[in-house]
């Protein structure tokens, strides 16, 4: 049995007169498929018991990219440059992230996903990098170029971290399509990658279970632009398979 990987959906308002769509970009699905997982899109269910019923069937959870998290979730007032928020998604993702970390269910966060992980565990965010980090080096550059594979900046990865071991590198270039970033790191997490301007580019859990969040978009790089990222998705899916088949681990 392939491990079941939940991908938490975003809310898309394509036309004002239509109800929203729930979904995600194909690249997240493709990355999980390539790694041997069975991807399942999880809608932002608001009833907690039903959300829990969905979550319990999953072997791991992927929190993907998207809009901004409401700063109310970390006790801050909205910044003037706060972007579009997705309250349905916030209220589904934050409890799932807490459950996954507390219960040792593998968690991979991408872009907004690393921010969800941090806020869920008690951390805070920069709400708008360009106005809050004066010397920032263009963290929305790949978006502005309309190219998910545009390598916007370098990152430095902590030696010995899970991320460094999986990538086999302590420096690489990455795409960047974010205007928010981790500010105060939540208890139970540690920073393991940084951009040259100091912006945190990855967090890991301090415990044994697979808890990893990255600020870039490796799902858009893993196929061709930088196949080293396939190892990160493979390790995530293998951890999910291990949870399903414990104590036997997938090869
Ligand atoms: Mn960046």
């Amino acid at each position: 049995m392939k491990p079941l990987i939940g991908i938490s959906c975003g809310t898309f308002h394509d036309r004002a007169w239509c109800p929203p769509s729930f979904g995600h970009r194909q690249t997240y699905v493709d990355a999980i498929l390539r790694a041997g997982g069975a991807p399942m899109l999880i809608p932002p269910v608001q009833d907690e018991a039903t959300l829990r019923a969905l979550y319990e069937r999953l072997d791991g959870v992927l929190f993907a990219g998207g809009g901004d998290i409401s700063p109310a979730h970390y006790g801050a007032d909205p910044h003037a440059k706060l972007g579009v928020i997705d309250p349905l998604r916030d209220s589904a993702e934050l409890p799932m992230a807490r459950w996954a970390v507390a219960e040792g269910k593998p968690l991979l966060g991408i872009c907004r996903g690393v921010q969800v992980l941090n806020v869920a565990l008690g951390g805070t965010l920069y709400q708008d990098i360009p106005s809050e980090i004066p010397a920032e080096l263009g963290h929305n550059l790949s978006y502005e170029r309309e190219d998910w594979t545009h390598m916007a900046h370098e990152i430095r990865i902590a030696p010995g971290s899970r991320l460094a071991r999986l990538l086999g590198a302590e420096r690489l270039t990455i795409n960047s399509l974010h205007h928010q970033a981790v500010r105060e790191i939540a208890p139970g997490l540690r920073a393991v990658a940084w951009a040259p301007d100091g912006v945190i580019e990855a967090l890991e859990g301090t415990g044994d279970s697979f808890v990893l969040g990255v600020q870039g978009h490796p799902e858009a790089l893993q196929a061709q632009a930088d196949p080293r990222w396939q190892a990160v998705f493979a390790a995530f899916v293998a951890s999910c398979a291990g949870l399903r088949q414990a104590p036997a681990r997938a090869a």
Side-chain angles (χ1 to χ4, degrees):
M1 288 273 282
K2 290 183 180 234
L4 198 58
I5 314 298
I7 303 175
S8 168
C9 286
T11 304
F12 295 89
H13 299 268
D14 55 341
R15 289 174 184 81
W17 56 274
C18 291
S21 300
F22 297 143
H24 246 302
R25 298 194 190 281
Q26 183 182 349
T27 37
Y28 297 103
V29 170
D30 288 346
I32 295 301
L33 288 173
R34 180 193 286 272
M40 171 172 268
L41 296 178
I42 304 298
V45 169
Q46 299 298 290
D47 173 64
E48 187 166 300
T50 309
L51 185 69
R52 182 75 200 181
L54 285 169
Y55 162 84
E56 285 183 359
R57 284 165 171 80
L58 304 174
D59 300 308
V61 194
L62 169 58
F63 295 102
D68 292 348
I69 299 165
S70 169
H73 292 296
Y74 49 94
D77 292 327
H79 186 278
K81 296 280 183 66
L82 178 70
V84 176
I85 60 169
D86 189 340
L88 290 175
R89 191 173 177 188
D90 288 353
S91 59
E93 289 188 332
L94 292 167
M96 280 200 290
R98 286 185 204 107
W99 295 337
V101 172
E103 298 163 22
K105 188 170 289 200
L107 182 159
L108 178 61
I110 293 177
C111 195
R112 171 189 157 98
V114 68
Q115 299 165 9
V116 165
L117 169 64
N118 191 49
V119 170
L121 301 188
T124 65
L125 302 179
Y126 290 105
Q127 293 188 43
D128 181 61
I129 293 172
S131 54
E132 294 185 286
I133 303 178
E136 69 102 6
L137 44 70
H139 288 272
N140 208 25
L141 194 56
S142 311
Y143 186 88
E144 288 160 9
R145 301 236 176 147
E146 299 185 352
D147 179 0
W148 287 86
T149 66
H150 177 73
M151 300 301 195
H153 59 72
E154 190 173 61
I155 60 172
R156 175 174 59 86
I157 306 174
S161 62
R162 184 192 294 268
L163 187 60
R165 281 186 279 116
L166 289 173
L167 291 169
E170 293 171 5
R171 277 181 192 278
L172 47 77
T173 54
I174 195 163
N175 52 1
S176 198
L177 299 89
H178 61 111
H179 87 111
Q180 298 204 311
V182 170
R183 190 168 197 151
E184 297 164 287
I185 302 168
L189 300 174
R190 68 184 186 111
V192 296
W194 303 264
D197 56 11
V199 168
I200 291 171
E201 290 279 335
L203 297 176
E204 290 184 4
T206 54
D208 292 333
S209 65
F210 191 107
V211 176
L212 172 63
V214 294
Q215 188 60 75
H217 280 274
E219 83 287 357
L221 303 177
Q222 56 87 29
Q224 287 189 317
D226 189 348
R228 287 177 292 185
W229 287 99
Q230 290 172 15
V232 173
F233 290 97
F236 171 55
V237 170
S239 291
C240 300
L243 186 73
R244 169 171 283 269
Q245 297 163 1
R249 292 291 295 263

